[in-house]
Structures are given as C-alpha cells and as structure tokens.
Amino acid sequence: MSTDSVTMKIKENNPETPFLLRVIWFFVFGWELTGIWILVAWALNASIIGLPLGLWMIDRVPQVLTLKARPGVMVTDMKDGRSQFLPASNAPFLIRAAYFVLFGWWFSLIWALLAYLLCATIIGLPLGVMMLNGLPAVTTLVHS
C-alpha cells in the first residue's frame, strides 16, 4: 500500500475560548445579546418559514451567551490541510421532532425566560448560565 492512498486524519475536541475572555464577553455583550437573540429566535419559531433559522439560533445560545464551544470534534485531513467540524451525535430526528412539537416549543420558552431572569441576580447567575447552556437540549434534545 502506498503512502499516497493513505489519508491521515487528526481528530481533536473543539477548542474552548479561554475562561477569562468568556467571562468578559458574558458581562460586556453576552447577557444582553442573548436576551435579544432568544426573542428573535422565538419570533422566527412562531412561523413555519422562520422555524429552521429560529431553531438554529436556539442551538447557538450557549455560544452567544458565553462563547461556549459547540460539542463535537474538528477533523483535519493531513493530506490537504482541510478541517471539518463534526457535531456530537444526537437522538434520532423523528424523536427530536416529536419532542419539539409536544414539549420543546413551549417548555423551552419558559426555561429560557426563567434562566434569563436568574442571570439578572448574583445568586441565580450560575444556575441561569447553566440553564441557558442547556437550552438547545430542552428545545430539541440536541447535545449542548
């Protein structure tokens, strides 16, 4: 077997942003931007046409809030240097769709509002951030 036919790929976890930078982002931009982000996402979720974009936005709430890295791995092909992000595996689509229709669409809005209110208090801040980081899972059972 020649070395040309062997493709070497390297898998590594999606790198996290440094903690201090994440804290600064949260207090300067993240908290306020996340509130607007969630309201826009739910306005889009209220329509069939906007639903895909609204769910995409809900899935990115942890990134908007604290620059949290998405779960998954980066795969780099050593032959051509291209990198590709492979997200973490999720529950089957039909189960996620049924969950969203029955529970996720309304429960995640309540979850998000409660989490956002907790973020407004010093005592509730850690729990509020954890709840907002878990919002994608509450909405559609996607790994967060």
Side-chain angles (χ1 to χ4, degrees):
M1 184 191 276
S2 70
T3 58
D4 291 336
S5 64
V6 176
T7 303
M8 185 174 170
K9 294 187 178 187
I10 297 176
K11 289 184 180 181
E12 56 190 350
N13 288 333
N14 200 9
E16 283 282 350
T17 305
F19 180 73
L20 184 58
L21 184 58
R22 291 178 63 194
V23 170
I24 292 169
W25 170 266
F26 173 79
F27 285 110
V28 176
F29 300 108
W31 188 74
E32 294 85 6
L33 187 58
T34 299
I36 296 166
W37 188 266
I38 290 170
L39 290 174
V40 170
W42 275 103
L44 290 167
N45 284 348
S47 70
I48 298 295
I49 295 171
L51 186 61
L53 180 58
L55 291 176
W56 179 87
M57 289 176 70
I58 292 290
D59 189 35
R60 270 98 183 142
V61 164
Q63 293 160 321
V64 174
L65 181 67
T66 63
L67 301 177
K68 181 178 172 35
R70 294 188 66 212
V73 294
M74 291 296 293
V75 178
T76 304
D77 188 339
M78 296 307 290
K79 185 175 181 181
D80 61 10
R82 291 185 180 171
S83 292
Q84 178 182 10
F85 177 74
L86 299 175
S89 62
N90 292 308
F93 176 76
L94 290 177
I95 291 173
R96 291 177 54 214
Y99 171 84
F100 175 76
V101 169
L102 296 174
F103 301 103
W105 69 271
W106 61 268
F107 185 63
S108 63
L109 180 59
I110 295 169
W111 183 273
L113 293 174
L114 179 60
Y116 195 73
L117 289 174
L118 284 169
C119 284
T121 67
I122 292 174
I123 293 173
L125 181 62
L127 180 59
V129 169
M130 287 182 356
M131 288 176 67
L132 286 172
N133 282 335
L135 184 60
V138 172
T139 306
T140 62
L141 298 178
V142 71
H143 285 251
S144 56

